[in-house]
Amino acid sequence: MSEERRSIELEVEVPGTVEEVWRAVATGPGISSWYVPHTVEERAGGSAMASFGPGPEMQIPGRVAVWEPPRRICFDGGEGVDGLTFEWTVEPRGDDRCAVRLVNSGFGQGGEWDAQYDGMVEGWKLFMSNLRLHMEHFAGQTAASMLPTAMGAGSLDEVWTALTASLGIPSAPSVGERIEAQASGVPALAGAVVDAASHRIALLVDRPAPGTGFVAVESYGEHAGASVWLYLYGANGAEAAERDGPLWQQWLADALGSGQ
C-alpha cells in the first residue's frame, strides 16, 4: 500500500489579464522574474530547467506535464519519475485581475518530509508575494536576479537577529518604511517594505536598481539559511545583478561565519 501523499495549496490575486499572468507563470523569462532562473520548452512534454545556484547539482531538470494555455500548466520530474509536481492555474477575477493557484503535490509522510513540506510552504509564500509584486510593478518585463544564501548556526530567531544587525536594518520594520543596508562593505540595498513577517521582509527595491526582493531566514534542520534575493530590472539591474551577486554571497558567508 503506497503511503499517503500531501500537497501545498496556495493562491494569490494579481493584476493583469489572463494572457499577461500566464506569461509570468508559464514561460522561462516570466518565472525567472519572481522565482529562480528557468527555461521552459512551451509545449506539452517539453523540457524545463530550474537553476537554484551556480553548481551543476543546483540545476534541477523537469518536464511540462500539462500545457493548457493560458489557464493551466503542470511541471513534474519526467515520465516515470516519482517526485514533486507543481500545478499552476490562472483564473480571471473581474477586469484585469487574476487568481493564481499553486498545487505542489507529492509530499510523503515522516520527519524528513515534514521538514521539507514546512520549508516549502514558507518559501512559496515568499515567492507568491514576489509574483504579486512583479505583476503590480514590472509586468511584461524580465528581471535579472541574484539569489545568495548562506547557512548560519543557531535558531531562526538568532540567525535573523544576526542578519538584520549585520545589515544595519530593523528586525521588525513597518510596512511602508524605507530601509537601507548600512553595514560597511555591504552592496547597495534600499527600498520600501511591502510585507513583513517573522524572519522575512519583502521589498520594493530602488537601489541598486528598480526591482523586488526579500531578506529572509529559513530553517534547515539544525541550521538556518539566510537569503538576500533581489530581482532587478533594466540595463542597470542586469549590470548590478552580475556585479553584486558574488559580493552578496561572500558578504553573507562572512556575516554568518559560514566561510565560502
Side-chain angles (χ1 to χ4, degrees), residues 14-26 90 98-100 131 135:
V14 302
T17 65
V18 172
E19 291 76 16
E20 290 167 339
V21 178
W22 173 259
R23 179 188 183 277
V25 300
V90 181
C98 293
V100 179
L131 168 61
M135 292 305 301

Side-chain angles (χ1 to χ4, degrees), residues 238-256:
E239 181 181 325
E242 182 175 1
R243 179 191 68 232
D244 292 351
L247 300 178
W248 270 114
Q249 186 62 56
Q250 186 61 57
W251 184 89
L252 274 177
D254 292 344
L256 299 179

